[in-house]
Amino acid sequence: MKPILEVTDLTGGYLPNQPVIHHLDFTVKENEIVGLIGLNGAGKSTTIKHVLGLMEPMSGTSKIDGQTFREEPENYRSQFTYIPEMPILYEELTLWEHLELTAMAYGLEEQTFLTRVRPLLEEFRMDNKIKWFPSQFSKGMKQKVMILCALLVEPKLYIVDEPFVGLDPLGIQSFLEYMVKFRNNGAGVLMSTHILSTAERYCDRFLIMHEGRLVLSGTLEELRVRSGLENATLDEIYLYVARGKVT
Amino acid sequence: MIDVKKLWTKRRNAHVTQTLKYFSLMANSGLIVSLILLIVIGSVYYAKLLQALPENFPAVFILTIVFSVWLTKSPIRTLLKEGDLVFLLPVESGMKQYFSKAISSATATGAFLTLFIFTLLWPIVQFFIHDGWKMYVTFGFFLIAAKVFNIYVSWEERRLPYKSHQTNYKIMRFIVNFVYAYLLFNEAYIFLIAIFAIMYVLKNFVFGVFKKQHGYQWEMLLAEEQSLKMKGYRFVNYFTDVPALKQTVHKRPWLNSLASFSFKKKNALPALYMKTFVRSGDYLGLYVRLILIGFLFIYLIPAGWWQLIVVFLFFQMFALQLFTLYTQYRWNVVFMIYPIKQDTRVKAFQNWLRHLLIIQGVFYGLFYGLLSGDWMIAILMPVGAILYSILRLPTMTKKHITLTS
């Protein structure tokens, strides 16, 4: 399987000489969903910001399709879409206009946009709300707008930060089904989450972060071997790591 | 236990400090000069207007309308914050002292503003009703008394759980205020005493009862506080940037055609900028206001080539104000990660601004041409807009981007 995202020896943070994440090494390949797991403040969001190209690494690189953001900014960013933890919407645009803007910004053809958008709207039961403005949406609906925009583009890579907060069970189910479908079609997904039971069922590999470092990674089976916890659930492994038992 | 009195004092002080800071920023901005200019011109015209008013000008009626509206509107700044809905709910019973401070402060502001408005309108009173300092004091006193009554009673009104019920009582207050003001400006003091009696009954036996029946409507109080705060910010925003200003969105479907673009990647940002401009309350309002004020200046200043400088100043004012739209999306991650190059973003913004400037120039040109018949200079106005956007915009953008990034 070809790697889409390659993070090599990535160190970075908000203040010079005070890195928040240390020497991260990981990849996201085609056809896999990778779960990024860690306590609050473990450095998940900072890692994601580096991958998005919003923060400059102090050392190391984050490459998508073999290129860093600095080398080819436009190409780098056109390879992925991002679902932020807190929905960020344009107060002045309707749901439909959000979708249209996203499609235009990512260079979709109008025909492609129209064929993709209807089934998505129906799946997330937003098809009767296309003229609504964000002020009329609940938190969960705003999250759905973010998800719709990200799915619409059908990029090679999805970067998803805690997507389940505020989403209703049907929404979560639809979202996961789409993720699996796109994965099977060749996309890669990097998903940060705290909902471990869901992660355990849907992610192919896991990256467990603790205090800015990657302490464990691999499939569930590999995590069990590395932590020495036979037959443990992801929950148990995670708690084990979070209590600082693995270094 | 939280000391709510201290909490109020702390918040009031913070509020006063912030207001003073904004005042100093406003005083530093260039717009204040044009405002003073407008006030001077305005007062000259006010005097002229008074001379020109006919004998049978319905002064009493107009004063009555103005004051019955003003008295009925009784805003109260409670300085509540969103977090209070969680953290102050447990001390609800103790909040009486906090709110009574808020009411006192609203009473003081209300009394001051009532006197201010009355002073503004005093020339009309002098002209059509009665002159003399005794009249000024009497009218001032009665108006302030009514304001105090309204603030107190409207506070009790705010305990009602439904907006529609509140509106009903507001209408009732409006009627009482109307009769009150009408009797006052007709100098019917004996009837006025009768109204006082009615007000006393209302205060104690109608509005006073709400206190026993209802608690505080926290969410409505918070909503009112926020809308008052935003009103203040929006006013300040005419002069200087207010980062905390949340834009209100108006759908304005009749303007949608202005913001329709063909489905192409290069149109993504122009469409976004235009839609934001058309729908957000303040940008379009500012644009229209600047065009109208520009008309006023063109009208007042004698015709000639110097009008081009005036128009140029208005281009500058508009462009400066509109740069906030560029920075509006500064913290929007979704916007930042679009696969669109930085200079494409800047160009899209400049293009969009150029179009609006040209439209502005065309409006000024038409107005000037129709007014003076000098179409030569009139045509130079939209041309000036194009020149302005070519010569000034790039340097302004550069300055702005380095300032904000």
Side-chain angles (χ1 to χ4, degrees):
Chain A
M1 279 186 296
K2 226 176 81 189
I4 304 169
L5 170 68
E6 290 168 283
V7 172
T8 327
D9 196 31
L10 184 73
T11 300
Y14 302 89
L15 295 168
N17 305 321
Q18 284 183 34
V20 176
I21 49 173
H22 308 269
H23 310 289
L24 300 185
D25 275 295
F26 65 88
T27 55
V28 177
K29 299 194 193 76
E30 287 177 344
N31 299 96
E32 66 172 359
I33 300 177
V34 176
L36 183 62
I37 289 159
L39 294 178
N40 298 328
K44 299 182 304 272
S45 293
T46 312
T47 308
I48 287 178
K49 277 184 208 162
H50 277 90
V51 172
L52 295 177
L54 293 175
M55 287 176 76
E56 253 178 71
M58 290 173 184
S59 68
T61 54
S62 160
K63 287 184 179 175
I64 294 179
D65 221 15
Q67 288 165 325
T68 65
F69 172 65
R70 295 297 293 277
E71 286 162 4
E72 274 296 330
E74 200 173 342
N75 187 46
Y76 184 92
R77 290 238 169 107
S78 62
Q79 307 290 327
F80 65 83
T81 54
Y82 168 57
I83 302 172
E85 186 180 4
M86 294 289 288
I88 305 162
L89 281 84
Y90 302 102
E91 294 298 319
E92 293 86 3
L93 300 193
T94 62
L95 166 58
W96 181 259
E97 287 164 345
H98 273 91
L99 297 165
E100 210 174 43
L101 173 67
T102 310
M104 280 158 87
Y106 283 85
L108 257 59
E109 294 294 325
E110 187 168 13
Q111 208 43 55
T112 323
F113 165 66
L114 291 174
T115 47
R116 282 181 194 170
V117 74
R118 286 289 164 196
L120 271 174
L121 284 167
E122 277 163 32
E123 178 70 35
F124 286 89
R125 290 173 316 284
M126 297 288 275
D127 43 339
N128 52 355
K129 299 184 180 66
I130 55 171
K131 293 233 162 108
W132 288 25
F133 283 88
S135 56
Q136 297 162 281
F137 286 136
S138 67
K139 162 112 202 308
M141 288 181 195
K142 287 183 184 170
Q143 189 64 15
K144 280 184 183 175
V145 180
M146 294 279 87
I147 290 172
L148 289 172
C149 286
L151 295 181
L152 179 68
V153 179
E154 296 193 8
K156 275 192 196 159
L157 176 68
Y158 295 86
I159 297 166
V160 188
D161 198 354
E162 203 61 70
F164 307 121
V165 182
L167 218 54
D168 60 57
L170 278 175
I172 294 177
Q173 199 49 42
S174 303
F175 172 68
L176 288 168
E177 277 165 18
Y178 263 97
M179 285 289 90
V180 169
K181 184 178 126 192
F182 286 143
R183 186 223 19 217
N184 294 342
N185 290 342
V189 182
L190 178 65
M191 182 164 76
S192 142
T193 181
H194 286 297
I195 317 284
L196 298 182
S197 52
T198 313
E200 187 171 336
R201 268 192 294 151
Y202 287 88
C203 295
D204 302 293
R205 278 196 306 123
F206 304 92
L207 307 166
I208 303 187
M209 284 188 79
H210 190 62
E211 292 176 348
R213 289 170 205 278
L214 205 56
V215 284
L216 262 187
S217 64
T219 60
L220 188 57
E221 210 36 63
E222 287 166 342
L223 295 185
R224 282 175 183 150
V225 172
R226 277 173 204 160
S227 62
L229 299 169
E230 261 178 78
N231 298 324
T233 60
L234 183 62
D235 253 311
E236 286 160 344
I237 299 172
Y238 173 70
L239 288 174
Y240 184 72
V241 170
R243 291 187 177 127
K245 301 259 174 69
V246 178
T247 42
Chain B
M1 192 75 179
I2 309 171
D3 186 347
V4 288
K5 268 195 206 161
K6 254 191 203 147
L7 182 71
W8 167 263
T9 319
K10 222 168 103 191
R11 285 193 181 169
R12 200 233 7 239
N13 289 348
H15 175 64
V16 170
T17 320
Q18 196 195 31
T19 313
L20 288 179
K21 266 188 199 153
Y22 271 127
F23 266 117
S24 70
L25 279 174
M26 278 159 71
N28 282 335
S29 83
L31 262 171
I32 207 91
V33 179
S34 25
L35 198 75
I36 290 169
L37 202 73
L38 277 180
I39 290 173
V40 171
I41 295 168
S43 52
V44 170
Y45 273 82
Y46 187 34
K48 273 192 188 166
L49 186 79
L50 281 178
Q51 306 283 346
L53 286 177
E55 274 291 304
N56 56 359
F57 177 71
V60 169
F61 182 70
I62 285 174
L63 286 169
T64 304
I65 290 283
V66 168
F67 280 102
S68 39
V69 171
W70 167 251
L71 291 173
T72 309
K73 266 177 85 132
S74 288
I76 298 178
R77 291 289 309 248
T78 47
L79 304 183
L80 288 178
K81 293 174 194 269
E82 259 165 359
D84 294 351
L85 258 53
V86 178
F87 295 102
L88 289 186
L89 277 185
V91 290
E92 167 136 5
S93 54
M95 286 303 283
K96 197 179 163 213
Q97 290 171 312
Y98 179 95
F99 287 132
S100 76
K101 291 254 177 197
I103 296 168
S104 320
S105 145
T107 311
T109 325
F112 171 75
L113 287 176
T114 308
L115 203 59
F116 180 74
I117 293 174
F118 178 64
T119 311
L120 277 185
L121 295 172
W122 174 241
I124 297 181
V125 180
Q126 273 179 310
F127 235 76
F128 292 98
I129 301 175
H130 230 125
D131 198 358
W133 66 272
K134 273 186 191 159
M135 284 322 292
Y136 181 82
V137 173
T138 318
F139 282 164
F141 168 77
F142 277 106
L143 288 172
I144 288 175
K147 187 73 197 170
V148 174
F149 164 79
N150 271 283
I151 287 179
Y152 180 82
V153 158
S154 75
W155 172 254
E156 303 302 338
E157 186 182 282
R158 283 175 173 80
R159 291 175 187 270
L160 293 171
Y162 300 109
K163 263 256 119 78
S164 59
H165 292 181
Q166 292 187 6
T167 312
N168 290 343
Y169 281 96
K170 211 177 229 170
I171 293 169
M172 189 169 94
R173 276 196 297 121
F174 177 79
I175 295 166
V176 171
N177 288 329
F178 187 88
V179 176
Y180 182 92
Y182 185 77
L183 292 175
L184 178 66
F185 290 117
N186 275 312
E187 298 174 71
Y189 298 111
I190 294 166
F191 291 105
L192 212 54
I193 289 167
I195 290 285
F196 267 132
I198 291 175
M199 280 154 72
Y200 178 80
V201 171
L202 281 178
K203 178 181 158 292
N204 285 323
F205 301 104
V206 179
F207 289 92
V209 176
F210 298 157
K211 196 187 297 192
K212 292 179 192 119
Q213 288 172 341
H214 305 285
Y216 301 118
Q217 302 302 328
W218 285 88
E219 289 197 332
M220 283 193 213
L221 290 177
L222 181 69
E224 187 195 1
E225 167 64 20
Q226 281 178 337
S227 95
L228 287 174
K229 193 160 83 181
M230 285 304 138
K231 251 188 207 164
Y233 283 164
R234 229 169 283 143
F235 174 72
V236 177
N237 200 45
Y238 292 140
F239 306 94
T240 176
D241 269 1
V242 182
L245 188 71
K246 280 186 211 156
Q247 305 277 357
T248 42
V249 177
H250 305 270
K251 293 175 189 168
R252 303 198 179 109
W254 65 94
L255 285 172
N256 271 354
S257 61
L258 269 180
S260 67
F261 288 80
S262 70
F263 198 98
K264 285 192 183 108
K265 183 171 177 178
K266 69 177 170 63
N267 285 338
L269 295 188
L272 173 65
Y273 289 139
M274 207 60 195
K275 277 180 183 134
T276 311
F277 172 71
V278 160
R279 288 182 195 156
S280 94
D282 300 335
Y283 297 122
L284 188 74
L286 184 95
Y287 190 56
V288 173
R289 265 196 302 277
L290 272 180
I291 288 181
L292 291 180
I293 297 174
F295 283 175
L296 185 73
F297 272 70
I298 292 172
Y299 175 75
L300 290 176
I301 297 169
W305 60 267
W306 44 83
Q307 290 274 22
L308 288 173
I309 298 173
V310 175
V311 166
F312 182 85
L313 285 177
F314 275 91
F315 292 151
Q316 175 81 3
M317 269 196 263
F318 175 66
L320 272 177
Q321 297 285 317
L322 267 254
F323 268 98
T324 42
L325 194 141
Y326 186 79
T327 47
Q328 183 173 345
Y329 300 127
R330 208 187 332 166
W331 302 114
N332 185 329
V333 181
V334 174
F335 177 79
M336 285 194 287
I337 64 167
Y338 287 145
I340 297 172
K341 283 200 190 90
Q342 181 60 23
D343 56 316
T344 317
R345 290 165 190 247
V346 175
K347 278 212 186 90
F349 178 76
Q350 287 180 350
N351 259 328
W352 164 79
L353 200 51
R354 173 174 308 134
H355 284 122
L356 291 179
L357 284 168
I358 292 171
I359 296 171
Q360 199 184 2
V362 167
F363 270 113
Y364 290 151
L366 277 177
F367 186 78
Y368 181 82
L370 290 173
L371 205 68
S372 67
D374 185 354
W375 288 98
M376 189 58 212
I377 285 178
I379 287 169
L380 282 177
M381 286 178 176
V383 173
I386 298 172
L387 284 178
Y388 176 86
S389 65
I390 293 172
L391 298 174
R392 278 289 292 151
L393 275 188
T395 47
M396 265 170 79
T397 327
K398 222 181 244 167
K399 219 173 103 191
H400 216 86
I401 290 168
T402 44
L403 265 179
T404 53
S405 64

